[in-house]
């Protein structure tokens, strides 16, 4: 009886640890593999040749909810745990670019302004498990 209980507890613990794993698309990680599958790769990021920036951003956010969203001058920025997804106009469609938070923040700073924390400030709490907490 003790062996069966020990096995059950061990299996439950294993399932719990697996559910809390470090999968990049879990725990508010950017859905990069899904984006690669849904949109056409280009020299810079990915392209949707027909849909508007707001529609593409909604598709991405519907698949994996972003922590926050900024709409600015036809561009949409989705904030994930460690990344920023920028959806910008491209001819009749949209371009999707994924940057790590620091790179994306400084690249798109004129659009993000002070809405999201500067990664070099004390207000920033990004990063992986245990960092900045």
């Amino acid at each position: 009886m003790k062996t069966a209980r020990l096995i059950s507890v061990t299996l439950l613990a294993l399932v719990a640890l697996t559910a809390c794993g470090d999968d990049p698309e879990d725990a508010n990680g950017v859905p990069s593999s899904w984006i690669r599958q849904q949109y056409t790769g280009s020299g810079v990021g990915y392209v949707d040749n027909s849909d508007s920036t707001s529609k593409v951003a909604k598709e991405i956010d519907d698949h994996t909810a972003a922590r926050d969203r900024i709409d600015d001058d036809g561009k949409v920025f989705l904030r994930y745990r460690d990344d920023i997804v920028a959806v910008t106009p491209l001819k009749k469609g949209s371009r999707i670019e994924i940057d790590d938070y620091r790179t994306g923040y400084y690249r798109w700073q004129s659009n993000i302004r002070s809405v999201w924390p500067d990664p070099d400030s004390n207000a920033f709490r990004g990063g992986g498990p245990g960092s900045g907490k």
Side-chain angles (χ1 to χ4, degrees):
M1 199 60 133
K2 283 185 177 183
T3 303
R5 190 175 324 158
L6 180 60
I7 290 172
S8 294
V9 169
T10 303
L11 287 174
L12 286 173
L14 183 59
V15 168
L17 286 173
T18 302
C20 296
D22 206 19
D23 184 348
E25 291 189 15
D26 286 343
N28 200 249
V30 67
S32 54
S33 60
W34 182 84
I35 290 171
R36 278 193 295 278
Q37 293 170 359
Q38 295 298 310
Y39 304 101
T40 305
S42 71
V44 178
Y46 304 91
V47 172
D48 182 309
N49 288 312
S50 60
D51 292 334
S52 68
T53 57
S54 59
K55 184 173 181 182
V56 170
K58 182 177 179 350
E59 291 170 354
I60 295 168
D61 191 39
D62 284 350
H63 182 270
T64 303
R67 286 185 172 188
D68 200 3
R69 173 184 173 136
I70 295 173
D71 294 85
D72 184 58
D73 196 27
K75 300 173 183 137
V76 181
F77 302 92
L78 301 172
R79 179 180 176 196
Y80 288 89
R81 182 186 65 236
D82 296 324
D83 302 284
I84 292 175
V85 175
V87 185
T88 58
L90 178 69
K91 297 179 186 173
K92 294 181 182 179
S94 300
R95 175 174 306 187
I96 302 109
E97 299 176 68
I98 304 168
D99 288 307
D100 65 85
Y101 186 85
R102 179 178 309 285
T103 301
Y105 180 87
Y106 290 114
R107 180 176 181 197
W108 301 105
Q109 188 172 18
S110 63
N111 300 98
I112 293 170
R113 293 176 294 280
S114 61
V115 177
W116 294 342
D118 182 324
D120 293 325
S121 76
N122 289 334
F124 182 68
R125 292 176 46 104
S131 67
K133 296 175 180 144

